Amino acid sequence: MSDSTAPRTVLLRGGEVHSPADPFATAMVVEGGSIAWIGSEGAADSFADGVDETIDLNGALVTPAFTDAHVHTTATGLALTGLDLTGAATLPDALARIRAHASTRPADRVLLGHGWDATAWPEQRPPSRTELDAAAGGRPLYLTRVDVHSALATTALLDLVPGIRSRPGYAPDGPLTGDAHHAVRAAAHATVTPAQRTEAQRAALRRAAELGIGSLHECAGPGISSEDDFTGLLRLAAAERGPRVFGYWAEAITSAKGADRIRELGAIGAAGDLFADGSLGSHTAHLHTPYADADHTGTAHMDTEAVAAHAAACTEAGLQAGFHAIGDAALTAVADGVRAAADRVGPDRVRALRHRVEHAEMLTDTTIAAFAELALTASVQPAFDAAWGGESGMYAQRLGVERARTLNPYAALLRAGVPLAFGSDSPVTPLDPWGTIRAAAFHRTSEHRISARAAFTAHTRGGWRAIGRDDAGVLVPGAPADYALWRTGELLVQAPDTRVANWSTDPRSGTPGLPDLTPGGQLPVCLRTVVSGHTVYARPNE
């Protein structure tokens, strides 16, 4: 397979093209940055003499490129290039990895790490500060929990933050949350040089392209990253070939002036991680009733009126709004607040902007109905269930088995007509689009499972629809030429159970097939990723 420096007219043939325009298509023509034609092998002969390049797919599957609808790009790159504890199986393992990392980064002013999860360790506790200080050799170390809503810090790092021990969320010998966490994070991230940041961003974009991801939704904001980090990423993505980056800046606004500031940053919305609450793993998601393993209901960062003010101001300005909400109480506040905004500015105007809710885990029938009523997009992460669901997982530890079973009800959302956009929240869970689809199709709670086809749509077209684009994320004539080639096995039409009509799984129905995603099997291997007609990744020796 060859590449060129500019988009040309290209014929791809001899494979399987996943397209609703022709479910039996084996060929596709790309002209410039758009899909020009989809069809059969016989019809492809008429194009062969008039194209600049013909690619023999050799049986490869062609799909739309994936969109990851919730990513923290720099943090993802830092995890890829630095200390990543997501694979640590025990507390001693984590400490050993910290020691090894510290020995390889002698010049770093502050050591940065991510991914510990004590709920998965037999010790059932994170490192003490004394253990952490020893492992880091007395150096400053900032180590985020897997959900990024709490962190561990060494004494040397705490000493760099004046007044840290009097801030809310400070713990003498445990994870930091709230204001204390934010202050320590700011101090740690301030030591990252522009060159380190760019290196991390390139690493994350490169990894996304290797996985067939053509677009990322960067969920940034003042509580997450700096403005320089955000604007630098947008400039990098615009200047270099790679996945598209659509940026959200999660800052509450109350006026047109605030909306102008969001746009000046280059953001397409005041959405993403505008925190209505925190996370379940860190006991900061806001619940109606207390946690099963803690005598409190978490943390509320926005009430109904704050949500209403932000949603109304964004709607008046024609700007997409959005909220991070995980707990049932937070989701109630968001639903009631957006409904109050609709009462102020008009429901049709609210619905037209497709405001977003990130994560949306502890939904009820009432809040699902509100999402449908208000045309809220559920930007969700199925890998959360794969990582923390089930009767012995973190969700069950935090909530009890019965409440845990209600989480991430994708089938109910689809039945209600709520649009889904799939993402990873990387580095919370890894960039892994086919694994994400598998997690939704084989949800740990069977009644929440959806078909592989519905999950695939949520991870391709769903991300584009979430930014107001209905013309992309699908291989049809006129759509952007964002696609990926895959080496895979037999294609199937996979349904979660008998609720899907038998005709749709019959080959005669003409429903395009997808790779077999049964747990334990090999996932497809990306051979090439193309964005706007440009190859941004080609697998070596293919």
Side-chain angles (χ1 to χ4, degrees):
M1 296 181 180
S2 64
D3 192 14
S4 62
T5 58
R8 301 177 297 163
T9 302
V10 178
L11 169 64
L12 300 92
R13 65 187 304 178
E16 300 280 351
V17 181
H18 187 94
S19 172
D22 182 348
F24 303 107
T26 62
M28 179 171 79
V29 173
V30 174
E31 190 170 54
S34 300
I35 307 297
W37 173 83
I38 301 278
S40 67
E41 194 63 28
D45 289 337
S46 63
F47 292 95
D49 293 334
V51 299
D52 298 306
E53 181 181 10
T54 297
I55 294 175
D56 181 1
L57 294 171
N58 193 27
L61 172 66
V62 186
T63 72
F66 288 107
T67 294
D68 192 310
H70 191 119
V71 174
H72 305 287
T73 306
T74 303
T76 296
L78 290 172
L80 288 168
T81 60
L83 173 58
D84 185 359
L85 296 182
T86 53
T90 65
L91 174 57
D93 182 13
L95 292 170
R97 292 178 186 223
I98 293 169
R99 285 191 294 272
H101 180 74
S103 70
T104 63
R105 308 288 292 218
D108 288 5
R109 183 181 168 198
V110 174
L111 299 168
L112 302 174
H114 166 75
W116 61 271
D117 182 4
T119 65
W121 296 345
E123 297 83 6
Q124 289 291 294
R125 68 170 181 87
S128 68
R129 189 153 293 131
T130 299
E131 291 169 325
L132 208 61
D133 288 347
R139 298 169 62 188
L141 166 67
Y142 172 69
L143 195 61
T144 51
R145 191 184 181 279
V146 66
D147 58 16
V148 199
H149 284 268
S150 60
L152 299 168
T154 57
T155 303
L157 178 57
L158 295 176
D159 289 344
L160 298 177
V161 186
I164 185 61
R165 291 165 179 82
S166 63
R167 285 181 177 265
Y170 172 77
D173 196 35
L176 307 173
T177 60
D179 288 348
H181 176 209
H182 296 160
V184 169
R185 176 172 56 198
H189 285 178
T191 68
V192 177
T193 67
Q196 286 176 310
R197 185 175 64 215
T198 300
E199 175 195 10
Q201 291 170 348
R202 283 200 179 106
L205 295 175
R206 183 168 57 248
R207 180 61 176 157
E210 291 169 355
L211 294 169
I213 297 171
S215 299
L216 303 170
H217 296 184
E218 168 68 12
C219 292
I224 304 161
S225 58
S226 69
E227 291 183 13
D228 286 345
D229 182 283
F230 180 66
T231 57
L233 171 64
L234 296 182
R235 285 195 301 270
L236 179 70
E240 299 183 2
R241 287 188 185 169
R244 305 172 191 261
V245 177
F246 300 101
Y248 286 100
W249 187 254
E251 186 170 343
I253 67 169
T254 57
S255 65
K257 184 177 180 180
D260 290 343
R261 175 180 140 68
I262 299 296
R263 292 190 173 101
E264 287 167 3
L265 289 171
I268 62 172
D273 279 333
L274 181 56
F275 295 116
D277 69 345
S279 74
L280 292 166
S282 292
H283 291 102
T284 52
H286 188 208
L287 313 183
H288 283 303
T289 56
Y291 285 86
D293 61 350
D295 189 23
H296 62 81
T297 57
T299 306
H301 296 299
M302 300 182 77
D303 60 15
T304 297
E305 177 50 37
V307 170
H310 179 68
C314 285
T315 304
E316 291 278 20
L319 188 69
Q320 191 179 30
F323 307 89
H324 163 119
I326 287 178
D328 50 5
L331 287 160
T332 296
V334 167
D336 290 348
V338 177
R339 184 179 288 111
D343 291 340
R344 296 176 194 178
V345 303
D348 290 343
R349 295 178 69 191
V350 166
R351 289 175 57 86
L353 284 166
R354 306 181 187 184
H355 300 313
R356 298 168 59 126
V357 183
E358 309 300 319
H359 314 311
E361 294 199 78
M362 290 186 70
L363 290 158
T364 65
D365 289 345
T366 299
T367 47
I368 289 172
F371 272 47
E373 170 197 346
L374 300 164
L376 296 174
T377 294
S379 172
V380 296
Q381 296 75 39
F384 287 7
D385 175 73
W388 304 313
E391 297 197 355
S392 60
M394 183 271 287
Y395 291 151
Q397 294 177 36
R398 294 290 185 264
L399 303 173
V401 172
E402 290 304 316
R403 272 198 294 176
R405 285 192 185 123
T406 69
L407 266 60
N408 303 303
Y410 304 137
L413 285 164
L414 286 181
R415 285 195 300 271
V418 176
L420 299 182
F422 279 179
S424 62
D425 198 13
S426 180
V428 175
T429 59
L431 301 169
D432 181 13
W434 287 113
T436 295
I437 294 169
R438 172 186 279 171
F442 295 91
H443 196 296
R444 290 177 180 270
T445 304
S446 59
E447 59 262 36
H448 300 329
R449 294 174 180 171
I450 61 176
S451 69
R453 179 172 44 154
F456 178 81
T457 298
H459 220 339
T460 50
R461 201 167 193 180
W464 283 95
R465 286 172 168 168
I467 63 169
R469 291 277 302 271
D470 293 333
D471 63 329
V474 61
L475 300 182
V476 295
D482 290 18
Y483 60 92
L485 311 185
W486 305 91
R487 183 172 69 235
T488 186
E490 181 185 6
L491 302 184
L492 308 171
V493 178
Q494 299 153 88
D497 52 42
T498 55
R499 288 175 298 176
V500 177
N502 289 334
W503 65 263
S504 71
T505 60
D506 188 317
R508 292 171 297 178
S509 70
T511 302
L514 288 167
D516 184 357
L517 300 177
T518 304
Q522 183 178 355
L523 292 174
V525 174
C526 185
L527 305 177
R528 178 179 284 210
T529 305
V530 176
V531 175
S532 193
H534 295 284
T535 296
V536 299
Y537 168 72
R539 185 176 174 85
N541 303 317
E542 295 286 351

